[in-house]
Amino acid sequence: MSAIDYPKSIDLARLPTPIEDLRRLSRRVGARVLAKRDDLTGAALTGNKIRKLEFLLAEALEQGFGGVVTCGGQQSNHARATAVAAARLGLRCHLLLRTTSPDSPPEPSGNILLDRVVGASIEWITPEQYQQRDELMTAAAERLGTEHATRFYVVPEGGSNALGAWGYVRCAEELCDQLGRVPVTIVCAVGSGGTAAGLIAGCRLLGLPYRVVGVCVADDRSTFQARIAAILDEMADRYQLDVRTEPQSIELWEDYVGLGYGVSRDEELACIADVARLEGLILDPVYTGKAMVGLLTELERMRTADPVVFLHTGGIFGLAAVASRLAGTAG
Ligand SMILES: *Cc1c(COP(=O)(O)O)cnc(C)c1O
């Protein structure tokens, strides 16, 4: 029995995900580094978004929706996870995907291929239109609802709202079961903030001595401190939880964004290849590759005695977008 009163959820993820010692990496950096394998939540359903969708899609089903609408970048893991989960649940799925020129959309590789295979409809939108994503999703939901004589549930970007974040409250509880109440530093990539918010909330609710550090893969620290604090405020209001947090106290590393969201520097791809050869652990270019560069760089400075748990949040299909460059790192 859990000490936490969770909202209703459905079973989509293979849980608990394992924790593995990265022995050779640990020896090299002189600190114990473990990987929490949330890339093993499923096959096509790989990654962190599945945990959030367990709560979000439970609400959609309970309220009788017949379809879902969500959004993301062109190779969005979240959009792909939503599309696959929707197919599994018998829901229609419509995706608003951001691309520089919607008139010549990208090749159907990686996540886009899976979106297509499971039958999601895709609407390509420009980065300018993407700024109005919430309004566009609401409009699409109305339009499709009329067209298909059902209602479409809007899943916010990254599944990152007060309900989706419960997926990472559950992950914090899982970590407690696996590691116990010992001081560890949890490091995760931050893209829309729901993962970090859920972990912070879970640690608060369970009184865990874990330090949660997010690595920004876009934007800067203050932007994400505000977004994560806003999700925690929303959780506090909606579920009467004592999880409000000062934005400035949310720990984020902002120096590893590199060339920006979804754009890889050579050293990030080299880090992916390096970790793959050292540990057989495959990171992704958009999130976990940048987060690992951050972790390895900070470890040189930190000299922490506490073990570090690197949260592998998935994203393997994103490798398709850097295939030729990554293959070029072969030794
Ligand atoms: C979305 C995503 C993240 C970031 O999680 P947020 O909850 O959006 O901050 C990290 N890693 C991968 C692989 C993702 O797809």
Side-chain angles (χ1 to χ4, degrees), residues 145-164:
T146 309
E147 197 176 309
H148 297 288
T150 183
R151 287 183 306 142
F152 278 69
Y153 181 88
V154 175
V155 177
E157 179 188 55
S160 289
N161 62 11
L163 181 57

Side-chain angles (χ1 to χ4, degrees), residues 46-49 52 75-78 80 157-160 168 188-197 217 224 228 261 284 286-288 311-316:
T46 172
N48 62 338
K49 303 308 181 308
K52 306 180 195 179
Q75 278 290 345
S76 169
N77 297 310
H78 165 69
R80 177 261 309 155
E157 179 188 55
S160 289
Y168 274 87
C188 68
V190 172
S192 60
T195 300
V217 302
F224 277 115
I228 293 167
Y261 180 80
D284 84 289
V286 183
Y287 297 94
T288 53
L311 181 64
H312 190 333
T313 40
I316 190 164

